[in-house]
Amino acid sequence: VVGSNCGAPSSGYLTDLYVLALEDILYTQEPPTDSETASIWPTNTATVFRLPLRVKTATYSENSQEAEGGLSYAVNLSTFYHAVNNAQITDWAQEQGQKRFVALFRTTTGDFFLAGDQEHGLKLNVARSATEKHLISLSLTGSVPHRLWRLESVDPTVLFDIVDFSPTDFSSTDFSQ
């Protein structure tokens, strides 16, 4: 068929991305088996941030590597925004300071994952570029001693009943580009 998008969607793209600061997490529980899901318990005052994503702008990777304590996994989640005035994005990132995060994300194939745990957080990185339509890139990177854990959902209203859900609402970001 002319103009059709052949093949299955790539699981490397993200459709939903939420982050919680490590300081807002009481406990994460490893799934008992690979076919079961992990659990995460936030504090009563935790804030879940939703990062808005456009189609095919957010990706993840998980790569095994040898470490002193054995095998570990390098995790990288990244997205970018076209924004002439990207002050809201950079201000939000700066407010987060040197915090470490866990990320809850959904792939285009419908898988739900938790990246990081209460002891191994991901670092928020920000980069700007004036050369390509004023891009700003956000990434979460870190090394964890286990593979990404599956979740039953990434919807905060499904996973948590006591947290403040805070969309990041980068209204200065023009998502039409």
Side-chain angles (χ1 to χ4, degrees):
V1 175
V2 176
S4 71
N5 189 4
C6 299
S10 170
S11 64
Y13 288 109
L14 310 183
T15 60
D16 297 288
L17 177 58
Y18 299 88
V19 296
L20 286 94
L22 284 190
E23 63 196 37
D24 287 340
I25 297 171
L26 292 173
Y27 186 70
T28 53
Q29 181 178 2
E30 182 176 358
T33 67
D34 286 342
S35 63
E36 296 181 284
T37 58
S39 299
I40 180 170
W41 287 275
T43 64
N44 289 343
T45 58
T47 300
V48 179
F49 293 101
R50 179 186 168 272
L51 300 180
L53 303 177
R54 290 180 45 211
V55 174
K56 294 188 177 181
T57 61
T59 61
Y60 81 95
S61 65
E62 173 188 46
N63 299 301
S64 63
Q65 58 192 13
E66 286 294 325
E68 280 187 36
L71 196 61
S72 69
Y73 296 86
V75 176
N76 181 12
L77 295 99
S78 62
T79 190
F80 65 89
Y81 300 96
H82 295 281
V84 174
N85 174 10
N86 50 34
Q88 285 183 315
I89 298 168
T90 53
D91 289 350
W92 176 81
Q94 186 172 357
E95 286 172 14
Q96 303 316 305
Q98 297 300 312
K99 292 180 185 175
R100 296 284 180 155
F101 295 89
V102 296
L104 300 83
F105 64 94
R106 179 178 187 246
T107 68
T108 54
T109 56
D111 294 312
F112 304 109
F113 290 106
L114 173 64
D117 59 41
Q118 81 274 9
E119 295 178 10
H120 305 94
L122 306 177
K123 183 179 184 292
L124 177 66
N125 305 291
V126 180
R128 285 204 257 196
S129 172
T131 59
E132 298 209 21
K133 296 186 180 182
H134 302 283
L135 288 182
I136 183 164
S137 299
L138 294 180
S139 64
L140 293 152
T141 59
S143 181
V144 295
H146 53 78
R147 299 209 47 188
L148 295 173
W149 290 338
R150 292 191 176 277
L151 291 170
E152 67 175 293
S153 174
V154 292
D155 182 344
T157 61
V158 171
L159 291 177
F160 318 119
D161 54 333
I162 54 172
V163 299
D164 177 24
F165 171 64
S166 182
T168 46
D169 190 26
F170 300 141
S171 61
S172 68
T173 303
D174 182 359
F175 281 95
S176 65
Q177 295 183 16

